[in-house]
Amino acid sequence: MVLENKRLDITDRVVGKLCESGMDLYVEEEPIGKFITSEEGNRFELKNGYEQDQYRIFKYADVTVGPDAKYVDCDYENGWC
């Protein structure tokens, strides 16, 4: 099993709640940052591991690539895995 750091598009899962400075941003009730509105312009302030790019929000996460070790020694002829 190998872990690889991937950029995942989580835009559809992000929820914004209005606050004084703009919006607090959440994914599954976990705060991930803020969208701040001001006279100088709008900007995102996101926690480490999150990124905003062209109206999309991404999360960097370690995901497994390649075969999962628990399925390597299957005996398909006898029907067990």
Side-chain angles (χ1 to χ4, degrees):
M1 175 174 69
V2 177
L3 292 177
E4 185 177 305
N5 197 313
K6 292 224 177 207
R7 182 180 179 204
L8 307 172
D9 186 345
I10 61 166
T11 305
D12 294 338
R13 297 174 37 212
V14 175
V15 175
K17 294 184 181 180
L18 292 174
C19 66
E20 290 179 20
S21 60
M23 278 193 213
D24 292 327
L25 302 174
Y26 298 86
V27 172
E28 298 174 4
E29 298 182 21
E30 177 189 344
I32 64 166
K34 295 179 177 282
F35 177 72
I36 299 173
T37 59
S38 67
E39 292 179 11
E40 295 85 34
N42 302 330
R43 69 182 192 281
F44 285 88
E45 287 184 3
L46 300 173
K47 286 185 173 181
N48 285 339
Y50 295 91
E51 177 181 73
Q52 180 271 329
D53 184 28
Q54 301 207 4
Y55 306 107
R56 310 297 293 169
I57 296 179
F58 298 92
K59 177 181 182 177
Y60 287 92
D62 291 330
V63 296
T64 57
V65 292
D68 193 346
K70 64 184 172 192
Y71 297 114
V72 172
D73 286 335
C74 295
D75 183 356
Y76 295 110
E77 292 177 12
N78 292 318
W80 62 268
C81 191

